[in-house]
Amino acid sequence: MRIVSSVQEMQRQSREFRPRSKKIAVVPTMGSLHEGHLSLIRLARENAEIVVTTVFVNPTQFAEGEDFTKYPRDIERDSLAAESEGTDILFVPDVEEMYPKGFRTFVEVPGLSGLLEGKSRPGHFRGVCTIVAKLFNCIMPDVAVFGQKDAQQVLVVSKMARDLDFPVRIIVAPTLREGDGLAMSSRNVYLSPVERAEAVVLYHSLQLSERLIGNGERNCRLIISEMEKLIMTKPSARIDYVSIADASTLMELESLQRGDVPLLSLAVKIGGTRLIDNLTIKVP
Ligand code: AMP
């Protein structure tokens, strides 16, 4: 595995693969790699000859007062993990490399970006789209792998790639969970043992909504209220949002119809740690 930290060198490497018709897959991450990330690398491996994993804690996608400075970083561990899963190039630029002095240009997808996560984290998707567009220009991938864990990110980035004609196929990987159901996340390390035990309520509330829908409940407000009641039984939990929305437009739904595949998503603060999770369900 080669470790590359300059944009120019990354582009040079990518251009070298082109004439040899080698398909390139990129797996963008913010590092602190866990099994969820590694499953993306494995999926990338299955879909391309060359896998580029990127590790970059992107300052522009953190809103004011969020955890940019304390976000967990461990590049040595990440590079061992990325290599053991078959990464060919680990791209690890620093902030000055990606945002040199005088940087001015941003990519935005209005509408989709203003809902759910975007409502709670102003500017988040502007930062995400900008860095993903830049990574696409650095790596020139044929395939990009993203996790369903960040369902709205998948929608926003797919729209951006279509609108800007990036010739990239986006592959979505399922959410990997801990044994008790908590979605794997680099932020889980922030949780105290008590918070860690209570954090599984995000997943339990999604399972509850699945049961309610399975039993014939179709009123979204009622389903959300049952999920909220369950979450509020945990002293460390503070709800940011619980949503049942159309899985492609993210518009909130009032009621469900047979055959709908809504996106159920939520963001909850467990102590000081903001966690997200989601599920798509086919309404029976
Ligand atoms: P992050 O490092 O949190 O920015 O995530 C990098 C990529 O890994 C994103 O595409 C995420 O959606 C994906 N990812 C994060 N957590 C998981 C998980 N538990 N299962 C699958 N993919 C994940």
Side-chain angles (χ1 to χ4, degrees):
M1 184 183 76
R2 299 202 50 174
I3 299 181
V4 174
S5 56
S6 96
V7 168
Q8 224 186 357
E9 173 62 10
M10 187 64 244
Q11 288 173 328
R12 198 189 62 74
Q13 291 269 327
S14 284
R15 274 198 210 98
E16 264 184 24
F17 298 124
R18 292 261 149 241
R20 290 187 265 152
S21 305
K22 296 222 172 180
K23 258 200 189 166
I24 304 175
V26 63
V27 181
T29 83
M30 295 205 301
S32 207
L33 301 182
H34 51 66
E35 264 304 313
H37 296 117
L38 303 187
S39 73
L40 268 56
I41 298 176
R42 287 193 286 272
L43 198 54
R45 220 357 353 124
E46 289 166 21
N47 283 278
E49 282 109 341
I50 303 292
V51 175
V52 181
T53 300
T54 75
V55 171
F56 181 64
V57 184
N58 175 34
T60 63
Q61 72 188 67
F62 288 77
E64 197 71 35
E66 289 187 352
D67 56 343
F68 172 68
T69 45
K70 74 162 191 174
Y71 195 84
R73 291 160 169 91
D74 190 344
I75 195 60
E76 246 124 76
R77 220 184 109 254
D78 286 350
S79 90
L80 288 175
E83 183 164 29
S84 72
E85 295 300 337
T87 296
D88 298 286
I89 298 182
L90 188 67
F91 184 47
V92 282
D94 62 18
V95 173
E96 287 69 37
E97 184 68 10
M98 293 315 271
Y99 299 108
K101 210 163 169 275
F103 184 92
R104 287 283 176 274
T105 309
F106 286 87
V107 181
E108 285 188 76
V109 181
L112 270 184
S113 296
L115 307 168
L116 302 175
E117 284 300 285
K119 217 185 254 175
S120 303
R121 308 183 67 191
H124 172 66
F125 288 113
R126 179 182 192 249
V128 168
C129 285
T130 303
I131 196 64
V132 171
K134 284 172 66 67
L135 291 172
F136 285 177
N137 282 329
C138 294
I139 295 152
M140 300 170 257
D142 301 280
V143 171
V145 187
F146 291 90
Q148 176 63 19
K149 159 89 190 324
D150 298 274
Q152 188 175 8
Q153 173 170 276
V154 169
L155 289 176
V156 173
V157 165
S158 302
K159 181 86 182 102
M160 186 269 294
R162 265 199 313 279
D163 286 355
L164 296 184
D165 303 312
F166 281 107
V168 181
R169 183 162 65 95
I170 290 180
I171 298 183
V172 184
T175 302
L176 252 67
R177 300 180 178 280
E178 302 289 353
D180 63 355
L182 175 67
M184 290 182 180
S185 163
S186 306
R187 290 189 167 98
N188 290 350
V189 298
Y190 296 150
L191 300 167
S192 72
V194 172
E195 290 167 352
R196 169 63 189 83
E198 295 190 350
V200 74
V201 77
L202 276 85
Y203 182 56
H204 287 167
S205 72
L206 290 169
Q207 286 183 310
L208 171 64
S209 67
E210 198 173 20
R211 274 199 305 279
L212 290 170
I213 294 168
N215 291 338
E217 186 54 64
R218 296 290 178 263
N219 181 326
C220 296
R221 224 169 296 173
L222 203 140
I223 299 165
I224 290 174
S225 135
E226 290 302 313
M227 292 171 76
E228 288 177 341
K229 266 193 244 162
L230 177 65
I231 297 164
M232 266 129 66
T233 61
K234 305 296 174 192
S236 67
R238 263 182 304 133
I239 297 169
D240 182 347
Y241 65 80
V242 179
S243 155
I244 302 180
D246 180 277
S248 46
T249 64
L250 300 183
M251 297 313 286
E252 292 297 317
L253 298 171
E254 289 276 318
S255 63
L256 301 172
Q257 319 290 336
R258 197 167 69 160
D260 281 354
V261 190
L263 175 71
L264 286 80
S265 64
L266 73 169
V268 178
K269 256 194 157 181
I270 300 289
T273 307
R274 187 174 181 282
L275 299 177
I276 59 171
D277 202 349
N278 71 79
L279 210 60
T280 44
I281 296 173
K282 183 153 169 58
V283 178

